[in-house]
Amino acid sequence: MRRSADIDALGDVLSAALGFRVPVCSIAELGQSAEAFAALPRPALARPTLVGGGAPYSPTSPAPTAQALDALVRRAKERDVPQILVPNVRRSDDTSALREAGFHPMAVGSECVVRLPGEVDETLRTRVGAGRLGELRRRHHTVARELSWERVRLSELGDSPWARDAFAALHRRQVERQGGRHNPYNAEALHALAGSALADRTELLIRRRPDNSVVQAGLLTNSHNGRGLYHLAQAVDHEDPVARRGLNEASLYALYLDARRSGLEWVHLGRGDADHTRRLGADLFVPLDHWLRGPDLPPPGGDEEDGAEPALSAFAAPGVSTVPVPGPARFRHRPRFDLLDLSSNTNPFLGAESTYPELDTAELARIYLATISKLPGHAGAGGLSADHLLFTSGAVDGVMLLLAALASPGQRVCVTPPTFELYAHFARVQGLSVVEVPLKGDDLSGLDVDRILAADPRVTMLCDPNNPVGTRLDPAQVNALVAGGRGLVVIDEAYVEFSEHPSYAELVDRHENLIVLRTLSKAWGLAGARCGIALAHPGLIDALRRVQVPFGFTNWAQRTVRDRLTNAEEALASVQRIRAERDRMAAALAEHPAVDRVFPSETNFLLARLHKHERVMDQLRGAGILVADTGHLVPATCRISIGTRRANTILLEELSAAL
């Protein structure tokens, strides 16, 4: 929770549960986060501890101010309590006051949030896949036939004493089952919560059988900004058969439906295992720390630095090294879902589209890397992290960003014609000198490594697989260029999914001078989403982020990309269809009397040299067929995209008509 008044109210609830006027207990008695406290000496687990927050009720606590910490320290001294715990603080908060006051951080996992931007089933399909969605729906319908769905407001709990008693009884049995000594969700705690300022925003979620036996009892609180719901606690009757048939998952799915019908935009699941909650639809994961102050504590570890920006690469242009990441993007890891946002000057009366896109794309980056790591030749990509990846507005935008961020006017950019023409175009626009070192060999797949190194360019742009030729470069030559040059090597892999040879993605963590560009416009069929990807050393990604315009990656595009990656089967099957049709067309064109040569291709297009280039191009234009005229790059050639079988057959017929 983000409002201090709410946390204070939950602190009073904890006091009521403990039976004291102030929330003092041992860490062991609190029964939370055993793994976070594993390194503590035994006395620290047993000594009295003042809990500065609403644990275990609050999902998160805002980092206390210096004044709040002073008051907390005074309170502990007045009661002769030697130890203070501030639980569940987001690592993205400003925790400098905690550190300066002598508190030590201990990593405790992440809070998990399910954001609901639209219809629940469609949202979950993009997150967990169609198969998993079907499983959740089946469990929901099965449980709904046996159990009711009731929400009892705490301010009206006096009219439903059975709900209060069932909640306390189920949680008492759960604590006993887990071997605990203290039940923080007892009747006294519930009474205190019902009398607090949170009562009108808090409800019991009850699921019971027709005979009125309660099988599940949970605690829900609406956020103070009115946009979401905190799922604070739940307990189930494990002896009831329905509890063993996916009751928790079924109830969460029903909760999403209920929240969305109420116009809410998110459901907070609290702390949990990220892999498990991903399967429940969670898409936002915020690292948390407990902060502890007391005698005999071990020195703090390095976890608290995880949110720090990576060191800027030495390849950054001088002007870039003097400026920070633009304001909104600099705070991309600070979640805003549960804030009352009055900072953006947007129209609050026109719905979700009036808000700016999400800037924290770390989870989407993880999904992309996990998805491509399963492709042939991409196994090493799974070892990269979100810090190695930047989403751009198409791969072409990535070219613009890297030239602006990493090269200065007058420096040289090397291109290897025939190649994608916009490399040289954007270099010249930005005042860079362009050096051309043509590809060699009959298939135009050889690099003149010695000549490129002799030119000593700031940036070398490689297109692999090549556009417009379709061939792959010699990997030994590419590796020699990366290892032997002083400048940056950029490999544009826009068509690599159609290739049978490996990607260079896994090498970016080993070579600070290597950038790999990818796109979802080609094999993934998302040209309209304008999603490119730059993979590079984190210090290079930081340099690119400093020149990138914030909010270019829309929420619609993010959801579309997530859906395609999560439900990848159709896209991957289409790649195989394109490969098969490419091979069929290559054979047909090679035998066609209008074609002199078909170049080898590991893309979704073919480069063909024509006998009567101008005549064939005129014939195709007259027939309403568009192919790329590449005669200015490779004499007498055109580049033919692989279309449907019907479209390809029509092309072959029109080629015959040109003879």
Side-chain angles (χ1 to χ4, degrees):
M1 291 182 174
R2 295 285 88 191
R3 196 164 67 166
S4 297
D6 293 345
I7 299 300
D8 291 342
L10 291 172
D12 293 338
V13 173
L14 180 59
S15 295
L18 295 169
F20 303 128
R21 196 159 57 88
V22 292
V24 175
C25 63
S26 69
I27 291 175
E29 190 178 12
L30 193 60
Q32 277 207 325
S33 314
E35 68 283 355
F37 300 118
L40 291 179
R42 188 178 298 275
L45 296 173
R47 68 170 61 104
T49 302
L50 175 65
V51 182
Y57 306 97
S58 60
T60 60
S61 301
T65 63
Q67 294 79 8
L69 285 174
D70 287 343
L72 196 62
V73 170
R74 285 197 303 272
R75 198 176 186 187
K77 286 183 178 178
E78 290 168 358
R79 289 159 178 80
D80 197 26
V81 177
Q83 196 160 263
I84 304 172
L85 173 68
V86 179
N88 301 330
V89 177
R90 290 176 182 169
R91 199 170 295 168
S92 54
D93 282 358
D94 181 2
T95 56
S96 56
L98 281 162
R99 200 177 303 279
E100 290 170 5
F103 284 78
H104 293 244
M106 285 162 287
V108 72
S110 296
E111 60 177 326
C112 309
V113 182
V114 179
R115 291 179 288 193
L116 301 170
E119 193 269 329
V120 170
D121 281 1
E122 183 59 25
T123 296
L124 290 181
R125 197 181 76 86
T126 69
R127 305 262 178 83
V128 302
R132 173 65 174 157
L133 170 61
E135 181 182 342
L136 290 173
R137 284 170 55 87
R138 286 190 296 273
R139 291 184 177 181
H140 164 63
H141 292 307
T142 298
V143 170
R145 287 194 294 268
E146 300 187 48
L147 303 180
S148 66
W149 174 268
E150 302 169 68
R151 291 173 66 166
V152 180
R153 192 175 296 277
L154 254 62
S155 58
E156 303 169 358
L157 197 57
D159 298 329
S160 304
W162 62 268
R164 178 198 59 214
D165 295 343
F167 178 88
L170 280 180
H171 278 84
R172 182 180 66 253
R173 284 154 58 186
Q174 180 168 284
V175 169
E176 292 170 351
R177 186 170 179 266
Q178 295 172 350
R181 294 178 296 168
H182 174 67
N183 175 19
Y185 300 101
N186 55 29
E188 290 76 15
L190 206 56
H191 178 74
L193 188 57
S196 75
L198 288 169
D200 286 333
R201 287 164 38 203
T202 304
E203 298 173 303
L204 290 186
L205 169 59
I206 300 293
R207 307 210 70 173
R208 56 177 170 164
R209 290 190 174 279
D211 64 2
N212 290 329
S213 59
V214 176
V215 181
Q216 184 177 29
L219 191 63
L220 310 173
T221 297
N222 283 321
S223 63
H224 78 282
N225 67 0
R227 294 176 54 197
L229 189 69
Y230 297 103
H231 184 247
L232 298 183
Q234 71 167 339
V236 299
D237 180 358
H238 288 278
E239 296 179 3
D240 193 290
V242 76
R244 296 189 290 272
R245 297 202 297 269
L247 173 58
N248 287 340
E249 294 187 355
S251 292
L252 284 177
Y253 176 81
L255 186 60
Y256 304 158
L257 295 174
D258 211 35
R260 194 59 197 158
R261 280 193 295 266
S262 301
L264 300 180
E265 300 171 16
W266 50 265
V267 174
H268 192 293
L269 302 183
R271 289 206 321 270
D273 175 72
D275 289 337
H276 174 66
T277 54
R278 281 188 184 103
R279 288 178 54 78
L280 299 172
D283 70 322
L284 179 63
F285 304 90
V286 185
L288 302 175
D289 295 310
H290 289 333
W291 288 79
L292 188 65
R293 168 175 154 157
D296 306 322
L297 293 181
D303 286 331
E304 68 273 13
E305 301 299 329
D306 284 359
E309 294 291 342
L312 184 66
S313 170
F315 286 103
V320 173
S321 64
T322 62
V323 298
V325 173
R330 186 164 66 253
F331 304 119
R332 65 193 179 279
H333 293 312
R334 297 185 186 178
R336 303 165 71 88
F337 67 95
D338 57 355
L339 296 179
L340 190 62
D341 187 358
L342 299 176
S343 68
S344 300
N345 302 337
T346 57
N347 190 329
F349 301 108
L350 295 179
E353 293 306 317
S354 66
T355 61
Y356 283 110
E358 294 288 344
L359 286 171
D360 188 353
T361 56
E363 178 65 8
L364 188 57
R366 185 203 65 81
I367 291 172
Y368 175 77
L369 292 169
T371 301
I372 68 168
S373 69
K374 299 173 185 175
L375 303 179
H378 289 73
L384 302 179
S385 72
D387 290 336
H388 293 90
L389 187 151
L390 181 70
F391 289 105
T392 63
S393 299
V396 173
D397 180 52
V399 175
M400 285 282 287
L401 287 177
L402 69 91
L403 291 177
L406 305 172
S408 301
Q411 290 184 320
R412 289 183 292 276
V413 174
C414 180
V415 297
T416 58
T419 191
F420 188 49
E421 294 177 279
L422 287 182
Y423 302 151
H425 171 81
F426 288 139
R428 292 188 176 104
V429 165
Q430 297 189 47
L432 302 170
S433 176
V434 176
V435 177
E436 295 187 352
V437 179
L439 297 174
K440 302 189 298 182
D442 291 341
D443 293 337
L444 299 174
S445 60
L447 288 173
D448 192 336
V449 176
D450 291 340
R451 188 174 166 189
I452 294 173
L453 293 176
D456 194 24
R458 176 67 170 183
V459 181
T460 299
M461 301 292 309
L462 304 180
C463 192
D464 186 35
N466 181 274
N467 177 15
V469 183
T471 51
R472 293 296 303 264
L473 297 172
D474 183 332
Q477 294 176 335
V478 173
N479 287 322
L481 184 61
V482 172
R486 296 193 303 167
L488 291 155
V489 177
V490 180
I491 305 177
D492 184 347
E493 292 189 339
Y495 301 93
V496 76
E497 290 91 345
F498 300 104
S499 173
E500 297 178 358
H501 293 88
S503 162
Y504 291 96
E506 67 175 307
L507 300 182
V508 299
D509 197 37
R510 305 182 209 170
H511 300 282
E512 192 177 351
N513 67 328
L514 176 63
I515 301 175
V516 172
L517 298 181
R518 307 285 292 252
T519 182
L520 273 76
S521 296
K522 308 302 182 182
W524 296 97
L526 292 179
R530 305 309 305 135
C531 180
I533 290 144
L535 298 172
H537 194 275
L540 286 172
I541 294 297
D542 183 54
L544 302 186
R545 207 182 297 278
R546 295 185 187 206
V547 300
Q548 186 177 43
V549 176
F551 304 123
F553 193 15
T554 68
N555 284 338
W556 173 85
Q558 291 181 43
R559 291 193 295 270
T560 302
V561 167
R562 181 192 291 271
D563 185 18
R564 186 57 50 86
L565 294 173
T566 303
N567 299 279
E569 296 82 4
E570 183 179 6
L572 298 179
S574 71
V575 169
Q576 297 304 317
R577 293 176 64 187
I578 288 172
R579 283 183 175 182
E581 188 64 11
R582 177 192 67 197
D583 295 343
R584 183 186 79 88
M585 279 293 290
L589 288 170
E591 298 296 326
H592 201 285
V595 177
D596 177 50
R597 186 192 175 194
V598 179
F599 285 77
S601 176
E602 295 195 42
T603 64
N604 63 339
F605 60 80
L606 294 166
L607 185 71
R609 181 181 292 128
L610 306 171
H611 284 303
K612 298 178 180 180
H613 177 258
E614 294 300 329
R615 181 173 173 178
V616 170
M617 296 304 297
D618 287 343
Q619 176 67 30
L620 295 179
R621 281 190 290 267
I625 298 174
L626 295 179
V627 297
D629 187 346
T630 51
H632 62 297
L633 297 173
V634 182
T637 63
C638 70
R639 190 194 65 199
I640 303 169
S641 297
I642 302 303
T644 64
R645 179 170 285 252
R646 180 175 181 274
N648 295 335
T649 299
I650 292 172
L651 171 76
L652 293 172
E653 291 172 353
E654 292 300 329
L655 283 178
S656 298
L659 297 176

